[in-house]
Amino acid sequence: MTGLVAGVVVALAPLPLPAGATTTTGVATVAAPSMAVAPYEYFGWGNPQSPTSVMSATGIKFFTLAFMLSDGGCNPRWDGSRPLTGGNDQAKINAIRNAGGDVIVSFGGWSGDKLGEKCSSAPALAGAYQKVINAYHLKAIDIDIEASEFSNGTVRKRVIDALKIVKTGNAGIKTFITFGTTPGGPDSTGVDLIKKGAAAGLDNDGWTIMPFDFGGHSGTMGAASVSAADGLKKAVKNAYGYSDTVAYSKIGISSMNGKTDEDDETVTLADFRTILAYAQQHHIARLTFWSINRDRPCGSGSDADSCSGVSQSAYAYTKVFAQY
């Protein structure tokens, strides 16, 4: 860059770009955070696709792998039963990494025994998380806190305190917390979870809502998702005292593609494009969905875990979010 001072041309140092920004024509563009788009895939059921085939077909590099559960005690196992290492799950992770990708491991989910409940203290729970982090040298983890793990205030606090321990012991690791929502944003339980995080001083990288299974609402699922995300941003801003810009950078959206668990509720491709535009406008921390297994049309004998229930081409939903 050059400037004119008293008729003399002088060289100026280049202005620093924002974090994550790139430039090819002199105009800075802010990129999505690393691993922001990591759709869920689960290898235990739902006729899972080859992750490397998904990468080739869609261009995505990252996957959120579900779910890490308790084996009945304070010990992590895939779906509570498959071995932590040495099995098919590790083989798939190795294949993803060999193809230039990476994974986020998700703990929890709706069903099964949760580590947050089976581990009796925050240090013990952090130790269970750490076993998985060490086993796979993870750069990010997701706590999908649902059902009785979410509804119990003691367990919510245990999860928050355990994640703070994990953050302290693993420099640079990203943590995401995923939970349900109303169309207007987190309910009182979700707000309490965020407040517990702020009170504990947890610098969580992404408070992520699941804007579906609303049980009735007006308008499109895209509009409802945007409304829910704005409510989440407000809750995070109020709890932490962030600016609007920072608060947006600390939230995420985890949608569901096609027919949801509610009989009359469908998240369309147009809804995904609405959500994508919101993410691009506000530079949110995470944009994901449940799930890759479902990102294909239903064939004869297909179930809700292995197809979307709507007319679509294979990976149509993944390709929308991959643009982030």
Side-chain angles (χ1 to χ4, degrees), residues 222-256:
S225 298
V226 165
S227 174
D230 278 340
L232 173 64
K233 186 271 294 186
K234 181 180 178 181
V236 171
K237 176 182 177 180
N238 290 343
Y240 279 86
Y242 292 146
S243 67
D244 283 337
T245 299
V246 173
Y248 278 121
S249 76
K250 295 288 188 178
I251 70 168
I253 298 172
S254 179
S255 188
M256 187 171 183

Side-chain angles (χ1 to χ4, degrees), residues 232-284:
L232 173 64
K233 186 271 294 186
K234 181 180 178 181
V236 171
K237 176 182 177 180
N238 290 343
Y240 279 86
Y242 292 146
S243 67
D244 283 337
T245 299
V246 173
Y248 278 121
S249 76
K250 295 288 188 178
I251 70 168
I253 298 172
S254 179
S255 188
M256 187 171 183
N257 52 315
K259 295 284 187 182
T260 72
D261 304 307
E262 302 285 340
D263 290 338
D264 60 348
E265 188 179 79
T266 301
V267 182
T268 67
L269 284 166
D271 294 324
F272 257 45
R273 287 189 283 270
T274 296
I275 297 168
L276 169 65
Y278 180 90
Q280 291 170 328
Q281 178 184 359
H282 296 297
H283 311 298
I284 67 175

Side-chain angles (χ1 to χ4, degrees), residues 19 66 100 155 257 289 298:
V155 175
N257 52 315
F289 69 95
C298 294

